[in-house]
Amino acid sequence: MPDPSGFDAAHPPTTHIVATVNGRKVARTVPIHYRVIDFVREELKLTGNKEGCGAGECGTCSMFVDGTLIKSCLAPVQKIHGRTVETVDDLDADQGMTVIQRAFHKCGASQCGYCIPGMVMAATSTLRKRPRASLDEIKEGLGGNICRCTGYQKILDAVAMARDVLNGTRPETDLEEAATDSFIGSRTRRLDAPAKVTGAIKYAADLWMPNMLHMQVLRSPHPHARIQRLDVGEARAMPGVECVLTCDDVPGVDNFGVFIEDQPIMARGMVRYVGEGIAAVVAETADIAREAVKRIRVTYDLLPGVFDPFEAMKEGAPQLHGFAPGNICKHTRIRKGDVEAGLGEADLVVQETYRTSALEHAYLEPEAGLAYLEPDGCVTVMSPSQNITHHRHMLARILGRPINKVRMIMSTVGGGFGGKEDMLYQGMLALAAIRTRRPVRYVFTREESIAASAKRHPFSIDYTMGLRRGGLIVATRMIMVSDGGAYAMSTPGVMNKSAILGPGPYTIPNVWVDAIGVYTNNTPSGAFRAFGAFQSEFATESHLDLCAERLGMDPAQLRRLNLMQDGATTHTRQPLDRVAATACLDAALAAARWDPGVPHREARGEPARIDLGGPGTRAPCTLGLGTMATDKETT
Ligand code: FES
Ligand code: FES
């Protein structure tokens, strides 16, 4: 069906742009809907400035137009006609690095580096306007730019250092690397930092090959549905479309996963979460691929979904996978001593439930990748994958190829935090390259990244702890239930880690831990910094504070009393030689100038506070928990 707006993706209306970019005059005819960032990155192949959000929020795309800093993802390409554009690629006119870039390098103001070109542009704008900018003015100047991993202090240090060097109040030699006899205890520079502060480093979305095609993916709008009919005929017939891939095109074993092989690379007759990939279009341009995606017809038979792990475990709940009765994805148990007896002997038993929510990694670099065939038939996938060896093995099985005919190259990761550990799109890319025998690139939009990628596991932790009056812990029972979402991804590993580390570094004679990861029709949960330890440790440390309150004890003293010592054995029977936990605690207390203060009100015999989760407090948000329709639907 043609686009009712009359837009023809294969022959979009064009506009002629003449501009001076980084000192060179350029003239190009480009699609009329291009933004400035498309012109600079896709047309001129100047990839120093990145696209992070595509919505004017993150600042990674910041560049100068006639000397004014703009967010190039928001500006239509016509804005630069007849004007002068400066990008980060050539800020120092091929001389190397500007003083500001050198200061970023010197101060260690770049981790993943994805935000840094935008930061450098914003810093340059600030110091051009206000050469003697105060710290507050620097902060204001950088206010439209977001960093997810360096943190802002080093960036602010770098801008202040650059300001002082440019003003002559600090010698330029301060930008040089300090001589050192040892790297231990001294500030060392990252080898890749110059490429990051100049924008020269290539992330996956910056990669380009001659004859390259572009991929876009149709994703499910439904959380649980059977696919009755999938018609890609119209999309396939569109001019400029090279191929449309579905699960029928998978030559090998289409069932992969880090721990449990439960996931097809595209939906196989069934969708289990909103955002699941159904079909991939490969076309001459991303616009054509996007248009073709709209022309894929799917008839769904909608099924009831289950969105709460406790509901999912109940009898009669919709079942997501035939091999997982009760929707149990992973149940990790730790048993030590006799918890019931321990609780019976305790002077104080404290029970509480703790909850953590799903979290989006929100790395600035959205997922992207490029796949191509080598002359010897080896398929190569370049993507910011944090687990390339495992991905390579999974790809070989999916593609039905020997391992030596599959290559994964880890491109620079623009922030991952665990979110790029689970494989998501690399299989589709490899398939596309094999089918078309041309390089194929795929770049997620920010919306797609949020809809389709795994999140941190939300946990509900029922905690019971028994203690002696003096503070010794005698028993701990933790029952943790976590929403694993539609596919296992890293859930089994996360359950193991949360169970193993859950009771904390404390000597406890009686321990009972259940960590249960459950399938639901929510976005899959996956690896995220701390891999499950964060959730269970949050509960343990919160619970210790609560117990200290009830005992009228200093919470630091309660921990010191129970911390493992040299020669301890962990709850999973690992013997420990030396344990520095007490020294660590004491150092932290000294650094924080810890003051135990007065005993908590409950320990003083006063009633508990009612302003924290008690009656009269605001109910938690229930947005998005509505029921789903169960009719047949066609999109
Ligand atoms: S502000 Fe333009 S990409 Fe985020
Ligand atoms: S260095 Fe800023 S987002 Fe990674």
Side-chain angles (χ1 to χ4, degrees), residues 466-633:
L467 304 99
R468 293 285 192 199
R469 211 174 310 282
L472 268 186
I473 304 170
V474 288
T476 280
R477 184 168 59 216
M478 295 177 82
I479 299 176
M480 304 188 265
V481 174
S482 177
D483 183 351
Y487 293 102
M489 291 197 171
S490 294
T491 294
V494 168
M495 291 308 108
N496 287 345
K497 187 82 102 183
S498 62
I500 292 166
L501 297 176
Y506 304 107
T507 296
I508 307 170
N510 305 295
V511 174
W512 172 296
V513 180
D514 280 346
I516 308 168
V518 184
Y519 286 117
T520 67
N521 291 108
N522 293 325
T523 311
S525 303
F528 196 126
R529 276 179 174 172
F531 215 71
F534 156 78
Q535 293 94 323
S536 54
E537 288 300 315
F538 155 73
T540 295
E541 295 307 321
S542 302
H543 205 69
L544 279 178
D545 286 345
L546 196 60
C547 293
E549 283 177 10
R550 302 272 162 88
L551 288 165
M553 264 184 95
D554 171 15
Q557 177 56 16
L558 178 62
R559 287 171 171 84
R560 187 181 286 108
L561 199 65
N562 289 286
L563 277 173
M564 290 179 186
Q565 304 297 332
D566 289 354
T569 303
T570 69
H571 313 298
T572 48
R573 298 202 193 140
Q574 182 184 348
L576 301 176
D577 183 8
R578 284 181 296 156
V579 182
T582 306
C584 238
L585 175 70
D586 288 341
L589 293 174
R593 291 196 242 148
W594 173 252
D595 177 354
V598 293
H600 184 265
R601 52 190 296 140
E602 285 175 65
R604 300 198 304 265
E606 295 171 24
R609 288 172 63 171
I610 58 162
D611 56 339
L612 301 174
T617 56
R618 203 168 62 113
C621 175
T622 53
L623 200 67
L625 293 180
T627 53
M628 299 290 163
T630 54
D631 309 315
K632 284 193 174 178
E633 187 172 305

Side-chain angles (χ1 to χ4, degrees), residues 111-115 147-150 364:
Q111 275 199 41
C112 83
Y114 204 78
C115 72
C147 176
R148 280 287 285 123
C149 45
T150 291
L364 277 198

Side-chain angles (χ1 to χ4, degrees), residues 50-61 71 73:
K50 316 297 175 193
E51 180 162 1
C53 65
E57 300 291 344
C58 72
T60 58
C61 64
K71 290 190 171 164
C73 69

Side-chain angles (χ1 to χ4, degrees), residues 386-404:
Q386 293 178 284
N387 197 357
I388 52 169
T389 303
H390 203 113
H391 288 189
R392 184 177 177 222
H393 282 271
M394 291 193 287
L395 268 184
R397 255 167 57 88
I398 290 164
L399 300 173
R401 297 179 146 230
I403 192 88
N404 66 330

Side-chain angles (χ1 to χ4, degrees), residues 57 129 139 245 327 378 388 519 533 556 568 634:
E57 300 291 344
K129 278 193 274 188
K139 285 181 185 170
L245 301 165
N327 289 313
C378 179
I388 52 169
Y519 286 117
T634 302

